[in-house]
Amino acid sequence: MSDDPRTLVSTDWLAAHLKDPDLRVLDASWYLPELGRNAREEFDAAHIPGARFFDIDDISDARSDLPHMAPPPEKFMSRMRAMGVGDGHQVVVYDGAGLLSAARVWWLFRLMGHRDVAVLDGGLPKWQADGHPVEDMPPIIKDRHLTARFQNHLVRDVTQVSQASKLGSIQVVDARAAGRFKGEAPEPREGMRPGHIPGARNVPYDTLLNADKTMKTPDETRAVFEAAGVDLAKPIITSCGSGITAAILALALDRMGHDQWSLYDGSWAEWGMSPMVPVATGDA
């Protein structure tokens, strides 16, 4: 793969830059409760040297009833300062699943106006498989100011997505598994309707990944989107269950050079619970 410090970097790239004074590595591991994994405990036991833990559920909008919605810029700035992440830093985000939640934090940084942020391809599993070291030491942190410049065009709410669904001028692409998209598999949250946003296309996030959880090439990614009936000439809104894996689609689109994408932060956690918006089932 070709390394791009604004989207995706390899384990070899990170190993070569790990001691750069302006590099910050973040562990953004997050797991569904049924997996029985504790991301913070795993981080404390073993992480990439110098990494700081980014708690997706904590660094979120506490005023919202929806899970881990994007935090207000002031909260993001304050938490990043406390983690020693600030202006002028190159950020690399990884997770313990290979590639699941790291892209969500990549998107959060982009949302806050920071472009020098990349996801580690293959995450911690590939880092370790490639023979690179881990440690259990807490990082030494020095405060660093971070300026947030909120990028409204990178996030969409239920009203904007509803309008896009009705007009068809913007393509909605859903990252959930096909069974949930079609309404055939049960939803993990009680009271949630099965199905998808009318007019949406389905690109399950794992179809963009290789067996080792690294990302497919931009050309392979383009073929996956096109095979799913996605019109790449249109602006795209990515969606999923709760705004985590939708960011993998956003990352893939960005790597392909598609620059008219945004993420539906509420995703199915909001749409599936709202009686005010319609639901479709079956194929798109």
Side-chain angles (χ1 to χ4, degrees):
M1 63 166 281
S2 57
D3 293 300
D4 180 356
R6 290 188 166 190
T7 53
L8 195 71
V9 296
S10 65
T11 56
D12 287 344
W13 184 96
L14 180 57
H17 291 273
L18 197 57
K19 290 187 165 47
D20 289 4
D22 281 332
L23 181 84
R24 294 293 178 269
V25 181
L26 302 180
D27 183 322
S29 299
W30 175 92
Y31 304 106
L32 289 165
E34 55 263 32
L35 292 177
R37 294 181 67 172
N38 185 307
R40 180 70 207 217
E41 287 181 3
E42 291 184 18
F43 170 82
D44 289 341
H47 53 259
I48 293 175
R52 297 105 204 268
F53 185 71
F54 188 109
D55 189 329
I56 286 173
D57 287 325
D58 177 60
I59 305 173
S60 66
D61 187 352
R63 303 164 303 182
S64 174
D65 294 334
L66 294 166
H68 42 250
M69 293 285 280
E74 300 76 20
K75 182 174 183 178
F76 189 82
M77 286 192 294
S78 140
R79 294 301 174 87
M80 290 308 98
R81 180 198 289 255
M83 288 167 64
V85 179
D87 295 339
H89 282 150
Q90 168 67 50
V91 176
V92 175
V93 193
Y94 73 89
D95 65 55
L99 181 48
L100 177 69
S101 52
R104 168 75 185 185
V105 174
W106 169 84
W107 171 74
L108 280 174
F109 272 91
R110 292 289 292 270
L111 183 65
M112 300 297 170
H114 283 262
R115 296 186 65 86
D116 294 328
V117 55
V119 170
L120 179 63
D121 202 20
L124 186 63
K126 190 165 197 312
W127 175 264
Q128 292 184 286
D130 290 346
H132 299 301
V134 293
E135 66 179 18
D136 59 4
M137 302 285 291
I140 298 166
I141 290 176
K142 296 175 182 173
D143 277 13
R144 176 96 161 234
H145 178 70
L146 181 134
T147 308
R149 302 174 192 86
F150 196 80
Q151 306 294 304
N152 285 302
H153 65 284
L154 295 183
V155 64
R156 293 289 177 260
D157 62 23
V158 66
T159 305
Q160 293 166 315
V161 176
S162 179
Q163 185 179 32
S165 170
K166 284 175 189 165
L167 298 178
S169 55
I170 301 173
Q171 183 82 75
V172 179
V173 187
D174 192 322
R176 294 176 300 155
R180 287 180 65 192
F181 178 84
K182 293 177 182 179
E184 297 168 355
E187 284 297 320
R189 297 174 180 86
E190 192 174 341
M192 188 173 290
R193 298 173 298 168
H196 60 266
I197 298 166
R201 294 291 184 264
N202 186 208
V203 176
Y205 77 89
D206 56 2
T207 61
L208 302 176
L209 305 179
N210 299 307
D212 62 356
K213 307 299 184 190
T214 55
M215 287 200 88
K216 291 180 175 176
T217 67
D219 284 346
E220 291 168 336
T221 296
R222 187 180 303 277
V224 172
F225 277 99
E226 289 174 345
V230 177
D231 185 349
L232 292 169
K234 287 183 176 181
I236 290 173
I237 298 171
T238 66
S239 181
C240 61
S242 65
I244 298 283
T245 57
I248 297 176
L249 271 57
L251 177 64
L253 289 166
D254 207 77
R255 284 185 75 219
M256 284 161 38
H258 192 296
D259 59 0
Q260 288 187 292
W261 59 264
S262 54
L263 185 146
Y264 175 24
D265 201 10
S267 282
W268 201 250
E270 180 176 37
W271 192 282
M273 295 293 281
S274 173
M276 305 300 291
V277 290
V279 166
T281 54
D283 291 315

